[in-house]
Amino acid sequence: MGRTTRRGRCERVRIDTQTRTLGVIGWPVEHSLSPAMHNAALREMGLNWAYLAFAVEPERVAEAVAAVRGLGLVGLNVTIPHKQAVAGLMDELDDAASALGAVNTIVRSEDRLIGFNTDGPGFLRSLQERGHTVEGRRVAIIGAGGAARSVAYATARAGAASIDLLNRTAEKAEAVARLAQEKGTARRVNTSGLEGERAREAVSSADVVVDCTSVGMYPNVNEGPVVPGQWLRPGQVVVDLTYNPRETTLLRAALEQGAEVVDGTGMLVHQGAISLLHWSGREAPVEVMREALLAALAR
Ligand code: NAP
């Protein structure tokens, strides 16, 4: 059976009494790319599951989480601004969700709710698929928000040789540094602002530079780059977590300097694929998810 959607796409739908439900909660959530990505994967995997987007007001998060049990949902993804609140509502947390105090994936196991955070593992896989690792490497992480915390935690756990944390508001980088220091084995964890010699040295000497800020994100696509392009060099891998646009001002500058670039779509696909692995116990079709994501981004 086919159905033409509001946006004119024709998608196969198969909703019946056996259909199991899952989805994403956020506020707002209408711009989420997760339904496109996950429903494409579910069709490919032959699962009679439907992935929906639920707009949940902040004061109703506990009710939404209770509905996972009440309605017998497979689970949920959790996006801004609910990741922290949901962490306090779980029966169990994985290591990352516990350390970060933030959940992006809820798995229901009978009546128990288990909270995972797949952002950091998704970041590591997005590097791996391009033949890179942070293990034993010097890593510079720019930003100190939720995404930076996930990346810093994963990078510290994965055995980076050193981690430099740079943020516009330098004090905020201190909290992220503590997380990286406590949870990892890096020989050196430093913090700095975005300007000055210390910042330049940290970025220029890094093997891997990860921009976890929202600088250059749609609609401010001409903003940035977050650090001067001249600080980048050939031999470096420069990652920007922003996925809209895929080529940010930082990645354009990195390409001009001869560095290798990785855009934010890889992390987005892989964090979703790992969520789906937690829900289904099966490896997700990453390329199908990527194709659906890129098509949704192009609309
Ligand atoms: P957030 O918690 O709001 O943090 C934003 C960060 O950006 C802060 O460190 C902030 O610095 C910095 N920043 C904002 N405007 C700036 C400016 N004009 N100059 C310098 N720094 C600036 O946001 P988030 O949730 O961490 O998300 C950050 C980015 O990562 C977004 O683009 C988001 O789409 C992306 N992201 C991607 C994925 C993925 O799967 N690819 C996953 C999560 C997030 P201050 O502390 O000084 O304010």
Side-chain angles (χ1 to χ4, degrees):
M1 182 173 66
R3 178 172 77 89
T4 302
T5 65
R6 189 165 51 84
R7 286 177 162 157
R9 276 172 294 137
C10 187
E11 291 179 340
R12 290 180 67 81
V13 289
R14 186 185 61 182
I15 307 281
D16 57 27
T17 56
Q18 302 299 309
T19 305
R20 300 186 64 202
T21 309
L22 68 169
V24 54
I25 57 169
W27 183 260
V29 79
E30 55 263 29
H31 299 297
S32 173
L33 299 161
S34 295
M37 214 163 62
H38 281 286
N39 285 316
L42 296 174
R43 281 192 292 275
E44 177 74 14
M45 294 166 86
L47 288 169
N48 184 6
W49 293 6
Y51 186 106
L52 306 174
F54 299 103
V56 174
E57 293 175 49
E59 51 274 25
R60 309 203 81 149
V61 171
E63 290 172 65
V65 168
V68 177
R69 285 195 190 88
L71 297 174
L73 305 188
V74 176
L76 289 174
N77 277 137
V78 182
T79 188
I80 290 168
H82 301 321
K83 291 182 178 187
Q84 287 80 14
V86 165
L89 297 167
M90 299 291 101
D91 297 309
E92 197 180 319
L93 294 171
D94 81 338
D95 285 349
S98 171
L100 297 165
V103 162
N104 81 336
T105 306
I106 304 173
V107 176
R108 184 180 63 82
S109 172
E110 303 292 339
D111 245 4
R112 288 181 66 73
L113 299 183
I114 307 158
F116 293 86
N117 197 309
T118 68
D119 282 336
F123 162 72
L124 295 177
R125 279 201 190 182
S126 76
L127 278 182
Q128 270 161 19
E129 73 177 0
R130 297 285 302 275
H132 300 294
T133 175
V134 294
E135 191 183 348
R137 316 305 300 275
R138 291 164 297 184
V139 182
I141 297 172
I142 308 170
R149 283 173 60 80
S150 296
V151 167
Y153 176 79
T155 299
R157 297 283 282 199
S162 68
I163 301 177
D164 282 282
L165 296 153
L166 299 83
N167 196 43
R168 174 177 63 180
T169 316
E171 308 81 64
K172 284 199 206 161
E174 293 293 339
V176 188
R178 277 194 295 280
L179 181 72
Q181 241 145 9
E182 283 165 19
K183 303 295 178 183
T185 53
R187 285 193 298 276
R188 192 173 62 77
V189 179
N190 282 339
T191 62
S192 84
L194 290 180
E195 289 164 4
E197 183 51 25
R198 197 153 149 196
R200 189 201 63 75
E201 168 63 20
V203 171
S204 296
S205 65
D207 301 305
V208 182
V209 178
V210 192
D211 178 17
C212 304
T213 72
S214 45
V215 175
M217 186 172 86
Y218 179 85
N220 305 314
V221 298
N222 293 319
E223 183 191 20
V226 67
V227 293
Q230 301 89 302
W231 291 6
L232 307 170
R233 58 171 175 79
Q236 279 181 323
V237 179
V238 179
V239 188
D240 200 326
L241 300 197
T242 293
Y243 48 80
N244 187 13
R246 290 181 74 187
E247 190 178 281
T248 59
T249 50
L250 180 72
L251 294 193
R252 210 173 305 136
L255 285 169
E256 280 167 15
Q257 298 298 321
E260 185 175 342
V261 302
V262 176
D263 69 48
T265 58
M267 172 168 163
L268 192 57
V269 165
H270 283 289
Q271 62 77 31
I274 299 167
S275 295
L276 201 37
L277 174 64
H278 286 310
W279 290 319
S280 70
R282 289 165 54 186
E283 286 294 339
V286 168
E287 293 315 318
V288 169
M289 295 177 82
R290 195 186 326 265
E291 197 182 317
L293 169 68
L294 298 183
L297 270 174
R299 278 197 281 273

